[in-house]
Amino acid sequence: MNAMKKTLICAAAALACSAALAEEIRDYRAAAVAMLKRDFKTRGIATADRVIEDGVQAICNRTADNPPKDIVARLEQDALESIRYPADGQFLGDWKEGEKIAQNGRGMAWSDPAGAPGGGSCYNCHQIGPQETSFGTIGTSLYQFGKLRGNTPETQRYVYGRLWNAKAFNLCSAMPRFGHSGALTDQQIRHLIALLLDPQSPVNSK
Amino acid sequence: MKHRLSMLMAATVMAAACAAYAQQPPAKSAITEEFEKFREVLEEDNPAELFEAKGEDIWKHAKGPDGATMAQCDLGLGAGVVKGAYVRMPRYFADVDQVMDAERRVVHCMVKYLGYKEADIRKQPFSNDRVTPDHVSVVTWVAGQSRDMKIAAPRKHPKEIEAYNIGKEIFAYRAGAYDFSCATCHGADGKRIRTQDLPNLRRPEEAIRAYQGWPGYRMTGGFMLTQQWRMNDCFRQQRFPEPTYLSDSITALLTYMTVTANGQVYKGPGIKR
């Protein structure tokens, strides 16, 4: 069964669940979605269709980020199967380039130019390198990540997947799906893997 | 006035300093403390007052093509009553049969009574370093007339209740290229982006932080920005498409956030970095 079909079945299941919720709550949600579709317009690269939820977003929105376990398992599996791993099997880029991408908070907004490579906004939410003290706390600390996890091929592959589609590992994660959405290229993801795993990266110093 | 100008110049100097900061963000304490210190000094004689004065002048003296004035404008407390009106919006207005936030209502009145063209206002809804549109000055004055008052946005009329509930849904609605909702950043306690503390806007005592200081005098540039602008920029950073200016979605979101902040004291137009 293809991923789309599975997603649709899950969406139907979630709809059935939400029928148990109070009538007016469903009405407000429907009204909110209709209002957003009416009021939000394409500007630059941010096209109007972005306000339409995809399957994962819809399930998380409808369940306050807490979908039933079986739906979580199936949608995470779908997401996992959708990850496109690099054909050459190379996961490790240049950690110095990775640091630049982690620092860069631009990309995918209507103020960003079309075609220009965006950043990963990583420091917005994560502690990463020891020299950068301006880091956010929405995500976990990634300092010493490679030291703790080891720079094995399995870990490299895992980190690639996590960056490509974080929702494959935690369905309603706050982290964007950088590969899935096209926010980062495969090459940029490789550089970020190096930032996290390369023993030479300051992330793993000392 | 001379004093005001010197303050404005001080603001410009600070703006340059801020721009320098922005290029090379230092550790949290330095930038935050410096800014807070400066803000305390400046807020005693806030450059926003210059825009309040301009807004007051328009409100009291401008005339429409048929001689109408803003004295006919009802901000919810009766025609021409401005004192305390800002902290009691968004609210339902029977004449248009809809809920309006303060900026939306002010623009409505300026179009209706003073002959401003809505299309022109929509062309330049927000300020930049070249121009602060008249309606922004009027909103700033109206806001200043609620200084040190408790926020008391009504939730009685069915349309006010509807706007609140729709706004609550919009707040939690994740979509777009990054899967972000308002709640991604503003739905939990004690989080921050880079060094910026993020208020949990679902909590009444923190919801005030989305309201306080707006309209705000932006030191980097020297112009006024309103809550409508702030919502527009939030959605930009959320990687959403652009919300239409003065749209129902933004009014609903402001209704939810304002009602959540009810009971907190509004300090008037503020200063933003």
Side-chain angles (χ1 to χ4, degrees):
Chain A
M1 189 165 21
N2 68 32
M4 179 60 90
K5 250 188 205 157
K6 276 195 212 167
T7 305
L8 282 174
I9 288 168
C10 291
L15 271 172
C17 291
S18 65
L21 299 171
E23 188 72 22
E24 73 241 42
I25 291 175
R26 283 202 293 135
D27 283 349
Y28 289 131
R29 204 192 105 83
V33 174
M35 200 179 268
L36 290 166
K37 286 180 186 168
R38 193 173 69 230
D39 290 341
F40 282 69
K41 311 287 185 200
T42 294
R43 179 164 178 182
I45 60 171
T47 49
D49 58 3
R50 285 192 190 179
V51 295
I52 299 165
E53 309 154 292
D54 74 1
V56 169
Q57 292 166 343
I59 295 293
C60 295
N61 284 343
R62 282 168 181 269
T63 58
D65 290 347
N66 195 19
K69 279 200 177 83
D70 57 328
I71 291 180
V72 169
R74 287 160 69 178
L75 287 181
E76 285 183 354
Q77 186 59 34
D78 285 355
L80 204 58
E81 286 167 12
S82 77
I83 296 168
R84 283 199 326 263
Y85 291 93
D88 61 4
Q90 291 299 310
F91 289 109
L92 221 50
D94 175 356
W95 69 263
K96 289 184 184 119
E97 289 303 314
E99 170 69 15
K100 287 181 208 161
I101 296 161
Q103 290 282 358
N104 184 352
R106 295 197 177 277
M108 300 305 258
W110 52 251
S111 48
D112 295 315
S121 298
C122 310
Y123 279 104
N124 281 6
C125 298
H126 295 280
Q127 181 181 26
I128 312 173
Q131 77 293 351
E132 181 54 87
T133 56
S134 172
F135 58 84
T137 58
I138 293 174
T140 54
S141 172
L142 300 172
Y143 179 54
Q144 303 277 281
F145 186 86
K147 212 160 180 90
L148 297 167
R149 301 283 188 129
N151 185 20
T152 64
E154 292 74 28
T155 311
Q156 292 174 9
R157 188 180 163 85
Y158 162 75
V159 175
Y160 184 93
R162 190 113 201 183
L163 285 161
W164 208 91
N165 189 342
K167 268 70 173 179
F169 305 85
N170 174 6
L171 192 69
C172 298
S173 163
M175 182 160 146
R177 296 167 282 178
F178 288 104
H180 170 87
S181 68
L184 293 176
T185 64
D186 291 359
Q187 190 55 36
Q188 286 179 305
I189 292 175
R190 285 192 187 98
H191 293 324
L192 289 172
I193 295 170
L195 178 66
L196 292 178
L197 295 181
D198 192 326
Q200 302 304 310
S201 163
V203 169
N204 302 314
S205 60
K206 276 232 181 107
Chain B
M1 194 62 203
K2 230 178 201 167
H3 184 49
R4 290 278 154 78
L5 280 177
S6 71
M7 290 311 291
L8 202 56
M9 280 169 69
T12 310
V13 171
M14 189 62 192
C18 281
Y21 270 134
Q23 280 168 7
Q24 197 52 243
K28 179 184 183 175
S29 54
I31 188 163
T32 308
E33 279 176 18
E34 277 305 301
F35 180 73
E36 292 303 326
K37 222 185 294 168
F38 181 71
R39 175 144 70 186
E40 270 173 36
V41 175
L42 203 57
E43 277 186 346
E44 286 169 17
D45 200 354
N46 187 340
E49 288 176 21
L50 293 170
F51 297 96
E52 285 184 55
K54 190 185 168 198
E56 181 180 15
D57 188 51
I58 294 168
W59 185 282
K60 288 183 174 166
H61 304 298
K63 282 195 170 61
D66 51 1
T69 68
M70 291 296 267
Q72 291 161 259
C73 177
D74 184 351
L75 295 176
L77 306 180
V81 180
V82 186
K83 203 99 197 145
Y86 186 81
V87 287
R88 290 175 177 80
M89 289 185 275
R91 70 186 301 129
Y92 173 77
F93 291 93
D95 60 339
V96 287
D97 189 31
Q98 64 183 164
V99 175
M100 290 178 146
D101 57 85
E103 187 162 349
R104 198 170 176 182
R105 187 62 179 175
V106 162
V107 168
H108 167 82
C109 283
M110 289 174 75
V111 169
K112 188 172 178 185
Y113 300 113
L114 300 183
Y116 281 80
K117 298 280 178 286
E118 192 177 327
D120 293 341
I121 289 175
R122 287 185 179 280
K123 250 179 247 164
Q124 170 100 48
F126 308 127
S127 312
N128 57 33
D129 52 8
R130 289 182 307 279
V131 58
T132 290
D134 286 353
H135 65 275
V136 171
S137 296
V138 176
V139 171
T140 305
W141 182 64
V142 167
Q145 295 301 298
S146 284
R147 193 175 271 109
D148 298 326
M149 292 184 185
K150 274 190 181 171
I151 301 168
R155 190 163 50 139
K156 290 198 190 83
H157 191 279
K159 293 212 170 178
E160 289 164 354
I161 293 166
E162 183 188 40
Y164 170 89
N165 282 299
I166 289 175
K168 193 176 179 182
E169 292 288 337
I170 290 174
F171 188 84
Y173 185 81
R174 63 162 72 188
Y178 279 9
D179 309 325
F180 286 167
S181 69
C182 305
T184 304
C185 291
H186 296 290
D189 294 338
K191 299 291 185 185
R192 50 173 224 252
I193 281 189
R194 290 280 185 161
T195 56
Q196 180 74 49
D197 290 325
L198 297 164
N200 180 354
L201 299 179
R202 283 172 168 151
R203 293 164 67 96
E205 62 275 24
E206 293 192 37
I208 180 65
R209 285 175 56 192
Y211 194 92
Q212 203 67 275
W214 298 105
Y217 176 80
R218 164 156 281 186
M219 297 204 293
T220 41
F223 47 88
M224 292 302 300
L225 291 169
T226 61
Q227 265 192 316
Q228 283 276 339
W229 174 84
R230 187 65 189 90
M231 295 303 107
N232 179 284
D233 204 56
C234 276
F235 280 113
R236 180 184 67 80
Q237 294 180 58
Q238 209 174 308
R239 272 70 183 182
F240 269 43
E242 188 175 36
T244 302
Y245 181 56
L246 309 179
S247 57
D248 292 341
S249 296
I250 302 299
T251 300
L253 187 55
L254 288 175
T255 303
Y256 168 64
M257 294 192 337
T258 308
V259 167
T260 306
N262 269 351
Q264 310 282 322
V265 175
Y266 173 58
K267 293 190 203 154
I271 293 173
K272 299 291 176 180
R273 199 182 287 165

